[in-house]
C-alpha cells in the first residue's frame, strides 16, 4: 500500500490499507492496525481530504502509531504552524540521534517535514539544522530518496534565504531525482519550487514551463 501511495496510485493504496485493517484486527495485530490506518491518512492527506486524514491519523494513534510525520503535515496544511512545529519536534525527540541505521532512517522520514514546517514559520535556524542532518544521512547511506530529500530541503532553504541563483540548480537536480525514483508527487512539489527559483532569477518563461510540467 505504501509503495502504491508514493507512486500516485492513491485509490489502490487506500483500498489495500483498508483491507489490511480488517485482516490485522481479526488477528489481533493492533500495532499493524495502527500502521494501516496511518497509510489511509497519508493517502487522504495527499488527496487534500484533510478531515478524512485527521480521522485516520486519530485511529492510527488509538492503536499506538504516532501518526508522524503525517499529523504534523496535516497541521501545517491547516495553518496550525505552531502546533505542527511542536508536533514534529516531539516526534524527533522520541528518536535516537546516533549512528544506528534504523534510528537514522527514522529521523530521515521526519526531517523533511521539520524543514517544511520551520520554513513556513520563518525559523531558518531550525530548517538549516534539519537540512544539515538530512545531508549527513544522505551522504552516509547513499539512498536516492534520502539524497532527493536533502537536495529539496537545501534548495528550499536557499530560496527562503533569497538566494535563488544557488537554489535553482539544486532544486533542478532534486525534482529529477524524485522523478527517477518514481515518486511523482515529490517530484512535482520540488519542480514547483524550482520554478519559483527561476522566476526569482527573472526567467519567467522557463518558470512557466516548469509550473505547467509540474
Amino acid at each position: 500500500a505504501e509503495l502504491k501511495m508514493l507512486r500516485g496510485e492513491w485509490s489502490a493504496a487506500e483500498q489495500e490499507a483498508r483491507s489490511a485493517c480488517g485482516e490485522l484486527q481479526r488477528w489481533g495485530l493492533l500495532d499493524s492496525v495502527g500502521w494501516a490506518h496511518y497509510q489511509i491518512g497519508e493517502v487522504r492527506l495527499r488527496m487534500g481530504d484533510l478531515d478524512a486524514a485527521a480521522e485516520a491519523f486519530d485511529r492510527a494513534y488509538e492503536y499506538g502509531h504516532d501518526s508522524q510525520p503525517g499529523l504534523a503535515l496535516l497541521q501545517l496544511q491547516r495553518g496550525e504552524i505552531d502546533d505542527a512545529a511542536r508536533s514534529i519536534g516531539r516526534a524527533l525527540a522520541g528518536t535516537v540521534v546516533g549512528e544506528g541505521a534504523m534510528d537514522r532512517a527514522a529521523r530521515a522520514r521526519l526531517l523533511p517535514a521539520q524543514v517544511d514546517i520551520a520554513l513556513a514559520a520563518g525559523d531558518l535556524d531550525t530548517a538549516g539544522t534539519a537540512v544539515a542532518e538530512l545531508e549527513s544521512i544522505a551522504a552516509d547511506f547513499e539512498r536516492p530518496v534520502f539524497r532527493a530529500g536533502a537536495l529539496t530541503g537545501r534548495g528550499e532553504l536557499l530560496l527562503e534565504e533569497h538566494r535563488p541563483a544557488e537554489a535553482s540548480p539544486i532544486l533542478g537536480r532534486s525534482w529529477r531525482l524524485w522523478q527517477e525514483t518514481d515518486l511523482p508527487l515529490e517530484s512535482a512539489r520540488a519542480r514547483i519550487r524550482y520554478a519559483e527559483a527561476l522566476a526569482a532569477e527573472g526567467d519567467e518563461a522557463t518558470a512557466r514551463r516548469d509550473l505547467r510540467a509540474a
Side-chain angles (χ1 to χ4, degrees):
E2 185 174 17
L3 186 58
K4 282 185 170 65
M5 176 192 67
L6 292 172
R7 289 177 173 171
E9 301 170 26
W10 292 336
S11 296
E14 182 174 4
Q15 184 177 354
E16 284 190 10
R18 289 190 183 280
S19 296
C21 284
E23 288 294 324
L24 293 165
Q25 196 156 1
R26 277 195 292 273
W27 288 96
L29 302 173
L30 299 187
D31 287 346
S32 296
V33 173
W35 175 85
H37 279 292
Y38 177 76
Q39 294 302 311
I40 295 169
E42 282 263 27
V43 170
R44 284 288 148 183
L45 184 63
R46 285 166 177 261
M47 295 173 72
D49 187 348
L50 303 190
D51 290 340
E55 181 181 352
F57 290 147
D58 284 346
R59 291 284 287 164
Y61 193 78
E62 288 172 17
Y63 284 101
H65 195 287
D66 67 358
S67 293
Q68 296 292 357
L71 178 59
L73 293 172
L74 170 66
Q75 292 167 320
L76 176 62
Q77 287 200 33
R78 285 177 161 174
E80 301 163 358
I81 297 175
D82 290 343
D83 288 341
R86 283 190 290 268
S87 185
I88 197 64
R90 190 178 304 114
L92 281 161
T95 64
V96 176
V97 180
E99 298 302 319
M102 292 295 291
D103 297 327
R104 300 195 82 191
R107 290 184 66 81
R109 289 185 63 253
L110 300 171
L111 288 165
Q114 187 176 48
V115 173
D116 289 345
I117 292 163
L119 291 178
D123 184 354
L124 300 188
D125 289 340
T126 296
T129 299
V131 168
E133 185 176 352
L134 271 174
E135 290 172 333
S136 173
I137 293 170
D140 288 346
F141 287 89
E142 298 183 352
R143 289 180 57 184
V145 170
F146 291 169
R147 179 63 176 157
L151 285 169
T152 300
R154 177 59 66 185
E156 288 179 330
L157 179 61
L158 288 167
L159 192 54
E160 292 301 319
E161 291 174 337
H162 307 291
R163 298 158 66 183
E166 296 172 66
S168 61
I170 293 173
L171 290 166
R173 291 199 300 274
S174 75
W175 78 254
R176 289 180 174 86
L177 187 52
W178 285 122
Q179 188 178 67
E180 290 169 10
T181 54
D182 200 18
L183 298 177
L185 183 62
E186 282 72 15
S187 178
R189 286 174 171 168
R191 197 165 186 176
I192 288 169
R193 298 295 277 168
Y194 173 61
E196 290 176 14
L198 293 175
E201 289 184 77
D203 189 351
E204 294 285 352
T206 305
R208 285 193 296 270
R209 283 202 304 273
D210 278 280
L211 279 174
R212 286 195 298 270

